[in-house]
């Protein structure tokens, strides 16, 4: 391990220069992957815009029944036409979404904690690779706790998921976890997203932060940004617009869609911003026109 004394601060991110190793395939960092991986990534990232709107509804894996997600069977078919990818557990997806209505699947494969605990950073790999293959998952999502008590075991989980994914050409989505007591600084996200990408993940899920454009530039694979806690719709649309401008490859939004007063219209507005280049003001106008809000 490198001696950390006198470590220089990283600063040359060259955000204005596009990612270089891109010849031939549009998903960042995926140029040298095989056909099967690229096929799954093409299911997640729209080939025209190069971006994705993932809908996260995996909250039940540690929060149980969550406001807005009480009836997945009613919600998911309504949202399906307006998002690119469903991020959920195998239990939620198998039980509540008809295969013909399902979008690309980001399958949550780690588990082991519940909101009744203080320390949520210890998880296990709960889904066999064979079941991810049976579900035709387009990627496997693993929670990764950098700087927390469970760091070592979560990196061990992540490695095992990536290794299995490499065997069967299924990408891994490394989810950068933020705990109650964990920093949310750009210093933290630059460290965590880069560790997750260098472990071999093909996609990283992270959060907006100061200097997000530097976090995105220094991450050699696409970053999709979590929505986080419920915001007023106007602010959530601003978040989507802002991170896309700063280099995110999409959003992975949960509560800001399913806890909206109008989840379908919110998904439509987010999609317009992510895929069609609407500004946040235009997205808000679009949302208001649809909902008369
Ligand atoms: C937790 C997750 C969740 O699926 C996701 O972040 C929750 O989405 P949101 O914060 O937008 O409600 O990955 O780590």
């Amino acid at each position: 391990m490198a001696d950390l004394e006198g470590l220089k601060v990283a600063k040359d991110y060259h955000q204005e220069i596009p990612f270089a190793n891109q010849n031939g395939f549009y998903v960042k960092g995926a140029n040298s992957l095989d056909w099967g991986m690229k096929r799954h990534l093409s299911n997640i990232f729209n080939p025209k815009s190069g971006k994705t709107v993932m809908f996260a509804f995996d909250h039940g894996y540690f929060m149980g029944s969550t406001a807005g997600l009480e009836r997945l069977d009613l919600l998911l078919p309504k949202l399906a036409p307006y998002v690119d990818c469903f991020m959920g557990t195998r239990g939620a997806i198998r039980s509540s979404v008809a295969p013909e209505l399902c979008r690309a699947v980001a399958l949550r494969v780690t588990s082991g904690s519940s909101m009744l605990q203080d320390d949520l950073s210890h998880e296990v790999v709960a889904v066999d690779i064979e079941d991810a293959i049976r579900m035709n998952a387009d990627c496997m999502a693993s929670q990764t706790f950098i700087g927390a008590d469970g760091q070592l075991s979560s990196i061990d989980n992540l490695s095992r998921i990536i290794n299995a994914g490499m065997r069967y050409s299924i990408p891994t989505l490394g989810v950068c976890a933020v705990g109650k007591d964990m920093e949310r600084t750009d210093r933290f996200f630059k460290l965590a997203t880069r560790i997750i990408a260098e472990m071999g993940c093909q996609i990283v899920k992270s959060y907006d932060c100061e200097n997000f454009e530097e976090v995105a530039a220094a991450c050699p694979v696409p970053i999709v940004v979590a929505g986080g806690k419920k915001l007023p719709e106007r602010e959530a649309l601003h978040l989507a617009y802002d991170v896309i401008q700063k280099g995110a490859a999409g959003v992975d939004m949960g509560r800001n869609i399913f806890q909206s007063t109008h989840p379908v219209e919110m998904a439509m507005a987010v999609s317009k911003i992510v895929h069609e280049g609407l500004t946040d003001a235009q997205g808000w106008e679009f949302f208001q026109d649809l909902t008369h809000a």
Side-chain angles (χ1 to χ4, degrees):
M1 191 176 295
D3 176 2
L4 297 183
E5 201 170 315
L7 201 62
K8 284 190 176 178
V9 175
K11 59 180 168 46
D12 295 329
Y13 293 99
H14 303 289
Q15 300 102 280
E16 69 293 354
I17 305 178
F19 188 70
N21 186 31
Q22 197 73 58
N23 305 336
F25 190 63
Y26 66 99
V27 178
K28 188 177 185 183
N31 197 42
S32 304
L33 300 177
D34 82 311
W35 194 94
M37 281 271 185
K38 287 177 174 164
R39 177 76 192 126
H40 284 303
L41 291 168
S42 311
N43 289 340
I44 297 170
F45 294 96
N46 179 314
K48 269 199 202 143
S49 67
K51 301 204 166 50
T52 188
V53 176
M54 291 187 176
F55 175 59
F57 56 94
D58 57 339
H59 303 60
Y61 101 93
F62 75 106
M63 291 167 74
S65 173
T66 307
L69 293 181
E70 295 89 342
R71 289 291 302 267
L72 292 170
D73 58 317
L74 302 180
L75 179 69
L76 296 172
K78 285 193 232 163
L79 287 177
Y82 307 108
V83 300
D84 302 289
C85 182
F86 278 161
M87 180 190 190
T89 59
R90 62 179 168 181
I93 294 172
R94 269 213 179 90
S95 62
S96 306
V97 200
E100 67 274 22
L101 292 182
C102 199
R103 308 313 307 264
V105 166
L107 185 64
R108 159 70 62 183
V109 297
T110 55
S111 172
S113 47
S114 81
M115 64 191 278
L116 301 178
Q117 299 164 281
D118 282 335
D119 180 2
L120 299 178
S121 72
H122 298 275
E123 295 199 335
V124 294
V125 180
V127 177
D128 287 343
I129 185 69
E130 288 79 5
D131 207 30
I133 296 168
R134 272 194 290 271
M135 291 194 70
N136 201 18
D138 291 295
C139 68
M140 298 176 286
S142 172
Q143 203 75 1
T144 311
F145 299 89
I146 302 299
D149 273 1
Q151 174 176 302
L152 180 60
S153 64
S154 79
I155 287 189
D156 183 44
N157 293 341
L158 185 64
S159 314
R160 284 184 290 114
I161 293 163
I162 294 167
N163 287 331
M166 294 305 292
R167 277 202 296 283
Y168 298 104
S169 287
I170 303 180
T172 300
L173 167 63
V175 180
C176 177
V178 285
K180 294 203 280 287
D181 303 322
M182 288 162 72
E183 306 183 36
R184 293 187 183 217
T185 60
D186 58 336
R187 192 181 74 117
F188 169 72
F189 288 117
K190 280 172 189 162
L191 172 78
T193 55
R194 186 62 176 260
I195 289 176
I196 293 170
E198 295 214 17
M199 294 295 301
C201 283
Q202 290 78 20
I203 314 170
V204 174
K205 173 172 174 172
S206 188
Y207 287 80
D208 186 26
C209 63
E210 204 182 337
N211 300 318
F212 176 79
E213 61 280 14
E214 294 182 356
V215 178
C219 184
V221 298
I223 295 188
V224 292
V225 173
K229 68 174 184 202
K230 174 73 176 77
L231 301 167
E233 278 77 359
R234 177 78 180 82
E235 287 174 37
L237 294 174
H238 175 70
L239 169 72
Y241 174 72
D242 192 50
V243 294
I244 292 292
Q245 295 309 304
K246 291 177 176 164
V251 294
D252 187 2
M253 216 172 236
R255 285 163 289 179
N256 279 298
I257 292 179
F258 67 72
Q259 290 182 346
S260 166
T261 43
H262 299 89
V264 170
E265 291 78 2
M266 190 60 186
M268 292 167 83
V270 170
S271 175
K272 288 267 176 198
I273 289 171
V274 170
H275 291 305
E276 296 179 32
L278 260 59
T279 63
D280 48 343
Q282 290 168 327
W284 174 234
E285 211 179 301
F286 175 82
F287 178 80
Q288 286 177 303
D289 283 349
L290 290 176
T291 59
H292 310 292

